[in-house]
Amino acid sequence: MFMEAESCLSDGRNDLPTELARLGLSFHEYLPVDLPGEKGGSAVAEVCLALMDKVAFLDARRAGLHPPAPKSGCGAGGSKCLEVFAESWLREGRQLADVLLENTRENDLAGLRAFFGRGGFGICPDLGHILAYEQGALLTLLAELPMD
């Protein structure tokens, strides 16, 4: 679980012991909540890809990501940053479905419908957020999406 971008980028091998790979567990990565969204989707992808490389020894392919807030200055309700992020992620040979967008207080994901489904981002619905922030629209979205 990488919560802060800068400190996690500076983590060394002692912070991520290789013994973890021998536990027989599967891993996914939780990406930082302080990603540089103000710098655009390519800057966010650069940090995320670097962090994914740090845990490559764990065979972690999936990653939880908080999408930009609609009013983040990221263009078109955050969708412009996600488009650029997706291009960068795919260019590195990764699968977009392995990026699991999580609903947050600022973004219930309902406005990002075009990014989900076959060939798009995955979803990591946070039930606590759905209940706390009254995000019933996300439940409707989940019921309507074609899933593989």
Side-chain angles (χ1 to χ4, degrees):
M1 185 170 223
F2 291 139
M3 294 302 289
E4 296 177 335
E6 188 176 330
S7 64
C8 292
L9 286 169
S10 67
D11 282 347
R13 277 289 178 212
N14 290 334
D15 297 305
L16 299 167
T18 56
E19 296 82 31
L20 291 172
R22 294 193 298 261
L23 295 176
L25 301 172
S26 62
F27 293 90
H28 73 276
E29 184 172 334
Y30 193 87
L31 295 165
V33 296
D34 67 342
L35 292 166
E38 71 284 352
K39 294 182 180 178
S42 60
V44 170
E46 182 180 326
V47 170
C48 293
L49 289 164
L51 291 171
M52 292 299 290
D53 287 345
K54 279 189 169 277
V55 294
F57 70 97
L58 296 173
D59 196 30
R61 289 184 299 272
R62 292 198 160 191
L65 176 66
H66 287 172
K71 297 179 182 177
S72 66
C74 229
S79 63
K80 186 62 182 166
C81 280
L82 285 178
E83 289 172 10
V84 174
F85 177 95
E87 291 167 5
S88 299
W89 191 266
L90 292 168
R91 196 171 30 254
E92 293 297 315
R94 295 185 178 272
Q95 300 295 313
L96 202 51
D98 288 338
V99 179
L100 310 174
L101 297 183
E102 181 183 333
N103 54 306
T104 63
R105 177 190 304 262
E106 296 80 18
N107 195 329
D108 68 0
L109 305 181
L112 301 175
R113 186 183 211 301
F115 288 95
F116 301 114
R118 292 185 180 92
F121 287 98
I123 299 177
C124 180
D126 185 314
L127 184 58
H129 291 171
I130 291 170
L131 296 172
Y133 310 135
E134 299 178 11
Q135 296 177 339
L138 178 55
L139 296 175
T140 302
L141 171 68
L142 291 171
E144 294 173 352
L145 285 176
M147 296 292 170
D148 294 333

Coordinates of all heavy atoms in Angstrom, one line a residue, residues 61-121:
R61 N 0.2 -6.9 -10.6 CA -0.2 -6.3 -11.9 C -1.3 -5.3 -11.7 O -1.5 -4.3 -12.4 CB -0.6 -7.4 -12.9 CG 0.6 -8.2 -13.4 CD 0.2 -9.1 -14.5 NE -0.8 -10.1 -14.0 CZ -0.5 -11.3 -13.4 NH1 0.7 -11.6 -13.2 NH2 -1.5 -12.1 -13.0
R62 N -2.2 -5.6 -10.7 CA -3.3 -4.7 -10.5 C -3.0 -3.6 -9.5 O -2.2 -3.8 -8.6 CB -4.5 -5.5 -10.0 CG -5.0 -6.4 -11.1 CD -6.4 -6.9 -10.8 NE -6.9 -7.4 -12.1 CZ -8.2 -7.7 -12.2 NH1 -9.0 -7.6 -11.2 NH2 -8.6 -8.1 -13.4
A63 N -3.7 -2.5 -9.7 CA -3.4 -1.3 -8.9 C -4.7 -0.5 -8.6 O -5.5 -0.3 -9.6 CB -2.4 -0.4 -9.5
G64 N -4.9 -0.2 -7.4 CA -6.1 0.7 -7.0 C -5.7 2.1 -7.2 O -4.6 2.5 -6.8
L65 N -6.5 2.9 -7.8 CA -6.2 4.3 -8.1 C -7.4 5.2 -7.8 O -8.5 4.9 -8.3 CB -5.8 4.5 -9.6 CG -5.6 5.9 -10.2 CD1 -4.3 6.5 -9.5 CD2 -5.4 5.8 -11.7
H66 N -7.2 6.3 -7.1 CA -8.2 7.3 -6.9 C -8.2 8.2 -8.2 O -7.2 8.7 -8.6 CB -7.9 8.2 -5.7 CG -8.1 7.5 -4.4 ND1 -7.8 8.0 -3.2 CD2 -8.7 6.3 -4.1 CE1 -8.1 7.2 -2.2 NE2 -8.6 6.1 -2.8
P67 N -9.4 8.3 -8.8 CA -9.5 9.1 -10.1 C -9.4 10.6 -9.7 O -9.7 10.9 -8.5 CB -10.8 8.7 -10.7 CG -11.6 8.4 -9.5 CD -10.7 7.7 -8.5
P68 N -9.1 11.4 -10.6 CA -9.1 12.9 -10.3 C -10.5 13.3 -10.0 O -11.5 12.8 -10.5 CB -8.6 13.5 -11.6 CG -8.7 12.5 -12.7 CD -8.7 11.2 -12.0
A69 N -10.6 14.3 -9.1 CA -11.9 14.9 -8.8 C -12.4 15.7 -10.0 O -11.6 16.3 -10.7 CB -11.7 15.9 -7.6
P70 N -13.7 15.7 -10.2 CA -14.2 16.4 -11.4 C -13.8 17.9 -11.4 O -13.6 18.4 -12.5 CB -15.7 16.3 -11.2 CG -15.9 15.0 -10.4 CD -14.7 15.0 -9.5
K71 N -13.5 18.5 -10.3 CA -13.1 19.9 -10.3 C -11.6 20.1 -10.0 O -11.2 21.1 -9.5 CB -13.9 20.7 -9.2 CG -15.4 20.7 -9.5 CD -16.2 21.4 -8.5 CE -17.7 21.3 -8.8 NZ -18.5 21.9 -7.8
S72 N -10.8 19.1 -10.4 CA -9.4 19.1 -10.1 C -8.6 20.0 -11.1 O -7.4 20.1 -10.9 CB -8.9 17.7 -10.2 OG -8.9 17.2 -11.5
G73 N -9.2 20.5 -12.1 CA -8.4 21.2 -13.1 C -7.8 20.3 -14.1 O -6.9 20.7 -14.9
C74 N -8.3 19.1 -14.1 CA -7.7 18.0 -15.0 C -8.4 17.9 -16.3 O -8.2 17.0 -17.1 CB -7.8 16.7 -14.2 SG -6.2 15.8 -14.2
G75 N -9.3 18.8 -16.6 CA -10.0 18.8 -17.9 C -11.2 17.9 -18.0 O -11.0 16.7 -17.7
A76 N -12.3 18.4 -18.4 CA -13.5 17.6 -18.7 C -13.9 16.7 -17.5 O -14.1 15.5 -17.7 CB -13.4 16.8 -20.0
G77 N -13.9 17.2 -16.3 CA -14.3 16.5 -15.1 C -13.3 15.4 -14.7 O -13.7 14.4 -14.1
G78 N -12.1 15.6 -15.1 CA -11.0 14.6 -14.8 C -10.8 13.6 -15.9 O -9.8 12.8 -15.9
S79 N -11.6 13.6 -16.9 CA -11.5 12.6 -18.0 C -10.3 12.8 -18.8 O -9.7 11.8 -19.3 CB -12.8 12.5 -18.8 OG -13.0 13.7 -19.5
K80 N -9.9 14.0 -19.1 CA -8.7 14.3 -19.9 C -7.5 13.6 -19.2 O -6.6 13.0 -19.9 CB -8.5 15.8 -20.1 CG -7.4 16.1 -21.1 CD -7.6 15.5 -22.4 CE -6.5 15.8 -23.4 NZ -6.6 15.0 -24.6
C81 N -7.3 13.8 -17.9 CA -6.2 13.2 -17.3 C -6.2 11.6 -17.4 O -5.2 11.0 -17.5 CB -6.1 13.6 -15.8 SG -5.4 15.2 -15.5
L82 N -7.4 11.1 -17.2 CA -7.5 9.6 -17.4 C -7.2 9.1 -18.8 O -6.6 8.1 -18.9 CB -8.9 9.2 -17.0 CG -9.2 9.2 -15.5 CD1 -10.7 8.7 -15.2 CD2 -8.3 8.3 -14.7
E83 N -7.6 9.9 -19.8 CA -7.2 9.5 -21.2 C -5.7 9.5 -21.3 O -5.2 8.5 -21.9 CB -7.8 10.5 -22.1 CG -9.3 10.4 -22.3 CD -9.9 11.5 -23.1 OE1 -9.1 12.3 -23.7 OE2 -11.1 11.7 -23.1
V84 N -5.0 10.5 -20.9 CA -3.6 10.6 -21.0 C -2.9 9.5 -20.2 O -2.0 8.8 -20.6 CB -3.0 12.0 -20.6 CG1 -1.5 12.0 -20.6 CG2 -3.6 13.0 -21.6
F85 N -3.4 9.3 -18.9 CA -2.9 8.2 -18.1 C -3.0 6.9 -18.8 O -2.1 6.1 -18.8 CB -3.7 8.2 -16.8 CG -3.3 7.1 -15.9 CD1 -2.4 7.3 -14.9 CD2 -3.9 5.8 -16.0 CE1 -2.0 6.2 -14.0 CE2 -3.5 4.7 -15.2 CZ -2.5 5.0 -14.2
A86 N -4.2 6.6 -19.4 CA -4.5 5.3 -20.1 C -3.5 5.1 -21.2 O -2.9 4.0 -21.4 CB -5.9 5.3 -20.6
E87 N -3.2 6.2 -22.0 CA -2.3 6.1 -23.1 C -0.9 5.7 -22.6 O -0.2 4.8 -23.2 CB -2.2 7.4 -23.9 CG -3.5 7.7 -24.6 CD -3.5 9.2 -25.1 OE1 -2.5 9.9 -25.0 OE2 -4.5 9.5 -25.7
S88 N -0.4 6.3 -21.5 CA 0.9 6.1 -20.9 C 1.0 4.6 -20.4 O 1.9 3.9 -20.6 CB 1.2 7.0 -19.8 OG 1.2 8.4 -20.3
W89 N -0.1 4.2 -19.7 CA -0.2 2.9 -19.1 C -0.1 1.8 -20.2 O 0.7 0.8 -20.1 CB -1.4 2.7 -18.3 CG -1.6 1.6 -17.4 CD1 -2.2 0.4 -17.7 CD2 -1.1 1.4 -16.1 NE1 -2.1 -0.5 -16.7 CE2 -1.4 0.1 -15.6 CE3 -0.4 2.3 -15.2 CZ2 -1.1 -0.3 -14.4 CZ3 -0.1 1.8 -14.0 CH2 -0.5 0.5 -13.5
L90 N -0.9 2.0 -21.3 CA -0.9 1.0 -22.4 C 0.4 1.0 -23.1 O 0.9 -0.1 -23.6 CB -2.1 1.3 -23.3 CG -3.5 1.1 -22.7 CD1 -4.5 1.7 -23.6 CD2 -3.7 -0.4 -22.4
R91 N 1.0 2.1 -23.3 CA 2.3 2.2 -24.0 C 3.4 1.4 -23.3 O 4.3 0.9 -24.0 CB 2.7 3.7 -24.1 CG 3.8 4.0 -25.1 CD 4.1 5.5 -25.4 NE 3.8 6.4 -24.3 CZ 2.8 7.2 -24.2 NH1 1.9 7.2 -25.2 NH2 2.7 8.0 -23.2
E92 N 3.2 1.2 -22.0 CA 4.2 0.4 -21.3 C 3.9 -1.1 -21.3 O 4.5 -1.9 -20.6 CB 4.3 0.9 -19.8 CG 4.9 2.2 -19.7 CD 6.3 2.3 -20.1 OE1 7.1 1.4 -19.8 OE2 6.7 3.3 -20.8
G93 N 2.8 -1.5 -22.1 CA 2.5 -2.9 -22.3 C 1.6 -3.4 -21.1 O 1.5 -4.6 -21.0
R94 N 1.0 -2.5 -20.4 CA 0.1 -3.0 -19.3 C -1.3 -3.0 -19.7 O -1.7 -2.3 -20.7 CB 0.3 -2.0 -18.1 CG 1.7 -2.1 -17.5 CD 1.8 -1.3 -16.3 NE 3.2 -1.4 -15.7 CZ 3.5 -2.3 -14.8 NH1 2.7 -3.2 -14.4 NH2 4.8 -2.3 -14.3
Q95 N -2.1 -3.7 -19.0 CA -3.6 -3.8 -19.3 C -4.3 -2.7 -18.5 O -4.1 -2.6 -17.3 CB -4.1 -5.2 -18.9 CG -3.4 -6.3 -19.7 CD -3.7 -6.3 -21.1 OE1 -4.8 -6.1 -21.6 NE2 -2.7 -6.4 -21.9
L96 N -5.2 -2.0 -19.2 CA -6.0 -1.0 -18.5 C -6.9 -1.5 -17.5 O -7.2 -0.9 -16.5 CB -6.7 -0.2 -19.6 CG -7.1 1.2 -19.2 CD1 -6.0 2.0 -18.6 CD2 -7.7 1.9 -20.4
A97 N -7.4 -2.7 -17.7 CA -8.3 -3.4 -16.8 C -7.7 -3.6 -15.4 O -8.4 -3.8 -14.4 CB -8.9 -4.6 -17.3
D98 N -6.3 -3.6 -15.4 CA -5.6 -3.8 -14.1 C -5.6 -2.6 -13.3 O -5.1 -2.6 -12.1 CB -4.2 -4.3 -14.4 CG -4.1 -5.7 -14.9 OD1 -5.1 -6.5 -14.7 OD2 -3.1 -6.1 -15.6
V99 N -6.0 -1.4 -13.8 CA -6.1 -0.2 -13.0 C -7.5 -0.1 -12.5 O -8.5 0.0 -13.3 CB -5.8 1.1 -13.9 CG1 -5.9 2.3 -13.0 CG2 -4.4 1.0 -14.5
L100 N -7.7 -0.3 -11.2 CA -9.0 -0.3 -10.6 C -9.3 1.0 -9.9 O -8.7 1.4 -8.9 CB -9.0 -1.4 -9.5 CG -8.5 -2.8 -9.9 CD1 -8.4 -3.7 -8.8 CD2 -9.3 -3.3 -11.1
L101 N -10.2 1.8 -10.6 CA -10.6 3.1 -10.1 C -11.5 2.9 -8.9 O -12.4 2.1 -8.9 CB -11.3 3.9 -11.1 CG -10.4 4.3 -12.4 CD1 -11.2 5.2 -13.3 CD2 -9.1 4.9 -12.0
E102 N -11.2 3.7 -7.8 CA -12.0 3.6 -6.6 C -12.9 4.9 -6.5 O -12.4 6.0 -6.7 CB -11.1 3.5 -5.4 CG -11.9 3.4 -4.1 CD -11.0 3.3 -2.9 OE1 -9.8 2.9 -3.0 OE2 -11.4 3.8 -1.8
N103 N -14.1 4.7 -6.1 CA -14.9 5.8 -5.8 C -14.5 6.5 -4.6 O -14.1 5.9 -3.6 CB -16.4 5.4 -5.7 CG -16.6 4.3 -4.7 OD1 -15.9 3.2 -4.7 ND2 -17.5 4.5 -3.7
T104 N -14.5 7.8 -4.6 CA -14.1 8.7 -3.5 C -15.2 9.7 -3.2 O -16.2 9.8 -3.9 CB -12.8 9.4 -3.9 OG1 -13.1 10.3 -4.9 CG2 -11.7 8.5 -4.2
R105 N -15.0 10.4 -2.2 CA -15.9 11.5 -1.8 C -16.1 12.5 -3.0 O -17.2 12.9 -3.3 CB -15.5 12.3 -0.6 CG -16.4 13.4 -0.2 CD -15.8 14.3 0.9 NE -15.5 13.7 2.1 CZ -16.2 13.6 3.2 NH1 -17.4 14.2 3.2 NH2 -15.8 12.9 4.2
E106 N -15.0 12.8 -3.6 CA -15.0 13.8 -4.7 C -15.4 13.2 -6.1 O -15.8 13.9 -7.0 CB -13.6 14.4 -4.9 CG -13.1 15.2 -3.7 CD -12.6 14.3 -2.6 OE1 -12.2 13.1 -2.8 OE2 -12.5 14.7 -1.4
N107 N -15.3 11.9 -6.2 CA -15.6 11.3 -7.5 C -16.3 10.0 -7.3 O -15.7 9.0 -7.0 CB -14.4 11.1 -8.4 CG -14.7 10.9 -9.8 OD1 -15.7 10.3 -10.2 ND2 -13.8 11.3 -10.7
D108 N -17.6 9.9 -7.7 CA -18.4 8.7 -7.5 C -18.3 7.7 -8.7 O -18.9 6.7 -8.7 CB -19.9 9.0 -7.2 CG -20.6 9.6 -8.3 OD1 -20.0 9.8 -9.4 OD2 -21.8 9.9 -8.2
L109 N -17.5 8.1 -9.7 CA -17.2 7.3 -10.9 C -18.3 7.4 -11.9 O -18.1 7.0 -13.1 CB -16.8 5.9 -10.6 CG -15.7 5.6 -9.6 CD1 -15.5 4.1 -9.5 CD2 -14.4 6.3 -10.1
A110 N -19.5 7.8 -11.5 CA -20.7 7.8 -12.4 C -20.4 8.6 -13.7 O -20.9 8.3 -14.8 CB -21.9 8.2 -11.7
G111 N -19.7 9.7 -13.5 CA -19.4 10.5 -14.7 C -18.3 10.0 -15.6 O -17.9 10.6 -16.6
L112 N -17.7 8.9 -15.2 CA -16.6 8.3 -16.0 C -17.0 7.0 -16.7 O -16.2 6.2 -17.1 CB -15.4 8.0 -15.1 CG -14.8 9.2 -14.3 CD1 -13.7 8.7 -13.4 CD2 -14.3 10.2 -15.3
R113 N -18.3 6.8 -16.9 CA -18.9 5.6 -17.5 C -18.2 5.2 -18.7 O -18.0 4.0 -18.9 CB -20.4 5.8 -17.8 CG -21.1 4.6 -18.3 CD -22.5 4.9 -18.6 NE -23.4 3.9 -18.4 CZ -23.4 2.7 -19.0 NH1 -22.4 2.4 -19.8 NH2 -24.3 1.7 -18.8
A114 N -17.8 6.1 -19.6 CA -17.1 5.7 -20.9 C -15.8 5.0 -20.7 O -15.3 4.4 -21.6 CB -16.9 7.0 -21.7
F115 N -15.2 5.1 -19.5 CA -13.9 4.5 -19.2 C -13.9 3.1 -18.8 O -12.9 2.4 -18.6 CB -13.1 5.3 -18.2 CG -12.6 6.6 -18.7 CD1 -13.4 7.8 -18.5 CD2 -11.4 6.7 -19.4 CE1 -12.9 9.0 -19.0 CE2 -11.0 7.9 -19.9 CZ -11.8 9.1 -19.7
F116 N -15.1 2.5 -18.5 CA -15.3 1.2 -17.9 C -15.8 0.2 -18.9 O -16.3 0.6 -20.0 CB -16.2 1.3 -16.7 CG -15.7 2.2 -15.6 CD1 -16.4 3.3 -15.3 CD2 -14.5 1.9 -15.0 CE1 -15.9 4.2 -14.3 CE2 -14.0 2.7 -14.0 CZ -14.8 3.9 -13.6
G117 N -15.8 -1.0 -18.6 CA -16.3 -2.1 -19.4 C -15.2 -2.7 -20.2 O -14.0 -2.6 -19.8
R118 N -15.5 -3.4 -21.3 CA -14.5 -4.1 -22.1 C -13.4 -3.2 -22.6 O -13.7 -2.2 -23.3 CB -15.2 -4.9 -23.2 CG -16.1 -6.0 -22.7 CD -16.7 -6.8 -23.8 NE -17.6 -7.8 -23.3 CZ -18.9 -7.7 -23.1 NH1 -19.5 -6.5 -23.4 NH2 -19.6 -8.6 -22.6
G119 N -12.2 -3.5 -22.2 CA -11.0 -2.8 -22.7 C -10.8 -1.5 -21.9 O -9.8 -0.8 -22.2
G120 N -11.6 -1.2 -20.9 CA -11.4 0.0 -20.1 C -10.8 -0.3 -18.7 O -10.4 -1.4 -18.4
F121 N -10.9 0.7 -17.9 CA -10.4 0.6 -16.5 C -11.3 -0.4 -15.7 O -12.5 -0.6 -16.1 CB -10.5 1.9 -15.8 CG -9.5 3.0 -16.2 CD1 -9.8 3.9 -17.1 CD2 -8.3 2.9 -15.6 CE1 -8.9 4.9 -17.5 CE2 -7.3 3.9 -16.0 CZ -7.6 4.9 -16.9

